Amino acid sequence: MAKGDDTLRKKKNKALRKKNNRSSSALSAKVSAAIAAKKRRKAGKRRLCQGMCYSLPTPEDPFNDRHGKEDFKTKGPKKKTLPAKDETVPLNGKGASKGNGSLGVNISKKSNHLGKENGSVKATNNLGKKGIITSEKESTVVIEMADNLSGAQQNHCEISEFPSKFVFWCLSSIENALREGDAYTDGEGNSLFVDSWGLEFSKCYATGKDVMETSGNSATNEQVAWVVSAAADTFVSKEQQGLSFASPFLLYLVPSQEKAAQVRKVCKPLKSIGIHTVSIHPGASLDHQIQGLGSCEPEFLVSTPERLLELVSLKAVDISGVSMLVVDGLNAICSAGHSDALESIKKFISCNPRILVFNDCFSPSSIAMVRNLLTGPICRLSLNNSVTSLSSCIIQSVEVCTSEDKLVKSIQALHQSWSNRTHNSNLLYILRKDIKCDKLVKALESKGCSISLDSESVDSKSGLGPMVSVIELENILTTDIGDYDVVVLPSFVPSMDSYVHILTHMARQSVNGCLLP
């Protein structure tokens, strides 16, 4: 009897259900591979690797433990690179914890927070090869360039003198913004990472001393980028240590509204990591600026001296806890008649801030202001090798007298110069080889001075009075005179080359240099 259509349909559906049940209870990949291999073995279809192969013992493996397999070659240990100051940096506006809107950025790994700009940036590494830094691979390229540069600089400077990886990331963000806005003045083929001025500044900044820059009157965008990147690195490090700041961390004084806008444009990319910059100048209303400062607590403050003094007098902003003070265009500020405002601002800062001054220091008013600002040891920074740049803030005083009065006049000038110093200064007498110094030594000892006839054994604590060294002119080229603030030439006039050498190599750590020919 023929089966009906319903019976055939039921049989077909039953077969489909069995098939579906088998597929739903599929085995793991490992078990399925073993079953497939067993089926192939029974069917006589073996893979090439499953044939009847064997291996013989070798001198390297006499017991055939490896079954003829070669040892896997493992990678060697990674070379040690310059470690970041902090691998994971919590970047937020007010605290170091990762809660309440904080942002954790791992500097050593690729992160989406490290590259949000579109476009590309041309960069040059330490081998002179140009590359492209894209927004997606920005952090990786920056870290590789930092490692390469650190390896090249490790033989010439200490590790602490080299910028951290966080500084390079800040420079990368600023460089992208400057190139997009056509504000990059250093050319398309150069990069901030290999800027010679920036690398020299990082060495000076690592010393912990105040810095006096004398190669130009006003800072360029590239120089401002290095300064604010170093300040951001210090700010983040201190926040990680648990420190908090009620005042702006960086106070950047500028002579005009245009310069304030230029500096704020450079600092603007740092807003993504929680560093806010506010610019105040006479171009905006005072009430608007008071309201803005009340609603925002900036980490970086860019201002002109006269407007800042008005806001401080109205208690709209507190600058007593400023940790870093930058004076850009000191000569222009003094020429505009704001020297008193600058002195008042310095008095409002109660702590001892790091100070950076951009100035050529040629006018007498600028020299007086520089000496008022930089009272401690300094680090001179200049890529200009001109005599005027290297001899900034060194006063040359000439005394006209007869040959009999030269000794007396030189001692009087030396004593007067030392009495005007606010700190202990090293003093140096330079004599010719044919001149006897017995009278000079006795005269100086009668004035209470400690005499050293060997310039290399100077010890400022060896005597109660001022320390005076006496050297011969023939040894001046081989002697380091950078620690001497006052140099006296009592009995002769040297050649022009010797005079220039003395003028450009003395008082390297002070702004109180004085040369008495």
Side-chain angles (χ1 to χ4, degrees):
M1 181 176 179
K3 294 183 179 181
D5 295 338
D6 294 340
T7 305
L8 295 176
R9 176 61 61 183
K10 289 180 181 180
K11 187 176 181 180
K12 187 176 182 180
N13 291 341
K14 185 177 181 181
L16 289 174
R17 285 196 299 271
K18 289 183 178 181
K19 184 178 180 181
N20 292 334
N21 291 335
R22 286 196 301 270
S23 62
S24 62
S25 60
L27 300 174
S28 63
K30 185 175 181 180
V31 176
S32 300
I35 294 174
K38 184 178 180 180
K39 289 181 178 180
R40 287 193 298 270
R41 186 171 64 252
K42 289 183 176 180
K45 298 179 180 179
R46 293 174 176 267
R47 290 181 180 177
L48 182 62
C49 61
Q50 292 177 335
M52 300 299 293
C53 55
Y54 59 91
S55 58
L56 295 175
T58 60
E60 291 78 10
D61 186 18
F63 298 101
N64 201 21
D65 294 331
R66 295 194 298 266
H67 302 286
K69 298 180 180 179
E70 295 182 358
D71 293 335
F72 290 103
K73 295 182 180 180
T74 59
K75 295 182 179 180
K78 295 183 178 180
K79 295 182 180 179
K80 293 183 179 180
T81 57
L82 184 65
K85 182 184 299 183
D86 296 296
E87 290 297 327
T88 302
V89 183
L91 303 176
N92 63 332
K94 302 298 173 189
S97 62
K98 287 192 175 182
N100 300 329
S102 63
L103 176 63
V105 177
N106 194 322
I107 301 300
S108 64
K109 297 181 181 180
K110 184 186 295 185
S111 174
N112 293 331
H113 297 288
L114 299 184
K116 295 183 179 180
E117 296 85 356
N118 295 325
S120 60
V121 177
K122 293 182 180 180
T124 306
N125 57 12
N126 61 328
L127 299 177
K129 298 180 180 179
K130 295 182 180 179
I132 302 296
I133 301 177
T134 60
S135 59
E136 297 178 355
K137 299 181 179 180
E138 178 181 331
S139 61
T140 305
V141 175
V142 169
I143 300 306
E144 289 178 356
M145 293 186 67
D147 291 337
N148 293 337
L149 286 172
S150 62
Q153 297 285 339
Q154 219 166 13
N155 297 329
H156 303 285
C157 62
E158 298 294 335
I159 294 179
S160 60
E161 294 179 356
F162 191 77
S164 66
K165 295 179 180 180
F166 182 76
V167 172
F168 278 97
W169 179 84
C170 293
L171 291 173
S172 177
S173 301
I174 295 174
E175 185 173 351
N176 289 339
L178 292 179
R179 291 188 185 275
E180 289 178 1
D182 294 332
Y184 198 72
T185 60
D186 204 15
E188 288 292 332
N190 298 326
S191 174
L192 289 176
F193 310 136
V194 292
D195 183 68
S196 57
W197 187 94
L199 296 177
E200 289 298 325
F201 168 75
S202 64
K203 295 178 182 179
C204 295
Y205 189 79
T207 61
K209 302 177 182 177
D210 297 335
V211 181
M212 182 178 67
E213 208 282 338
T214 60
S215 59
N217 187 35
S218 181
T220 62
N221 286 339
E222 292 74 23
Q223 293 173 345
V224 175
W226 273 93
V227 173
V228 299
S229 297
D233 182 39
T234 306
F235 172 75
V236 171
S237 300
K238 290 185 178 296
E239 274 206 334
Q240 282 187 305
Q241 298 172 6
L243 300 178
S244 59
F245 303 93
S247 303
F249 180 82
L250 170 65
L251 176 58
Y252 201 109
L253 297 179
V254 293
S256 62
Q257 176 182 348
E258 293 76 13
K259 186 64 178 180
Q262 176 186 349
V263 175
R264 186 182 180 278
K265 186 175 183 179
V266 176
C267 300
K268 192 174 181 180
L270 301 180
K271 185 178 180 180
S272 60
I273 59 175
I275 297 179
H276 300 269
T277 304
V278 173
S279 174
I280 54 178
H281 48 75
S285 63
L286 192 62
D287 296 336
H288 175 71
Q289 292 177 349
I290 293 176
Q291 183 180 2
L293 290 173
S295 61
C296 176
E297 295 181 1
E299 286 74 26
F300 291 175
L301 182 61
V302 184
S303 174
T304 57
E306 67 277 11
R307 178 49 61 94
L308 178 62
L309 195 59
E310 292 180 15
L311 294 172
V312 171
S313 61
L314 295 174
K315 296 183 179 181
V317 61
D318 180 21
I319 61 172
S320 59
V322 169
S323 301
M324 185 174 180
L325 174 63
V326 179
V327 183
D328 193 351
L330 179 62
N331 195 14
I333 294 176
C334 295
S335 301
H338 301 310
S339 301
D340 296 337
L342 194 57
E343 292 180 1
S344 301
I345 291 172
K346 176 71 184 307
K347 293 178 181 178
F348 276 112
I349 302 176
S350 58
C351 60
N352 187 20
R354 294 280 300 274
I355 300 178
L356 169 61
V357 177
F358 287 90
N359 187 48
D360 49 17
C361 301
F362 297 148
S363 62
S365 60
S366 298
I367 295 177
M369 183 54 63
V370 168
R371 292 186 171 183
N372 187 22
L373 293 174
L374 305 177
T375 57
I378 67 163
C379 183
R380 291 175 178 262
L381 175 60
S382 176
L383 297 182
N384 186 1
N385 294 326
S386 64
V387 178
T388 54
S389 177
L390 296 177
S391 62
S392 297
C393 293
I394 297 179
I395 297 177
Q396 304 175 59
S397 178
V398 180
E399 291 284 343
V400 180
C401 57
T402 61
S403 58
E404 292 80 7
D405 297 334
K406 282 184 178 181
L407 181 61
V408 178
K409 288 289 184 181
S410 62
I411 295 176
Q412 291 178 354
L414 181 61
H415 185 71
Q416 181 180 2
S417 176
W418 180 81
S419 61
N420 294 333
R421 295 292 181 271
T422 58
H423 62 283
N424 292 332
S425 302
N426 293 329
L427 313 178
L428 176 65
Y429 266 89
I430 301 178
L431 302 177
R432 282 205 309 261
K433 191 174 183 179
D434 56 347
I435 296 179
K436 297 181 180 180
C437 59
D438 297 338
K439 294 182 179 181
L440 176 63
V441 171
K442 292 181 181 180
L444 292 175
E445 289 178 347
S446 64
K447 296 291 184 179
C449 299
S450 301
I451 309 301
S452 173
L453 299 180
D454 184 7
S455 62
E456 297 180 356
S457 61
V458 177
D459 186 5
S460 59
K461 298 181 181 179
S462 60
L464 299 178
M467 187 66 197
V468 180
S469 298
V470 180
I471 65 172
E472 298 176 353
L473 179 63
E474 289 75 9
N475 300 328
I476 193 65
L477 297 179
T478 59
T479 304
D480 184 12
I481 60 175
D483 294 333
Y484 295 99
D485 298 339
V486 182
V487 177
V488 184
L489 307 174
S491 59
F492 69 99
V493 178
S495 63
M496 183 58 66
D497 294 338
S498 299
Y499 188 85
V500 170
H501 177 82
I502 296 171
L503 186 62
T504 56
H505 287 77
M506 62 174 288
R508 295 297 94 188
Q509 300 181 9
S510 171
V511 294
N512 298 294
C514 184
L515 179 59
L516 305 173

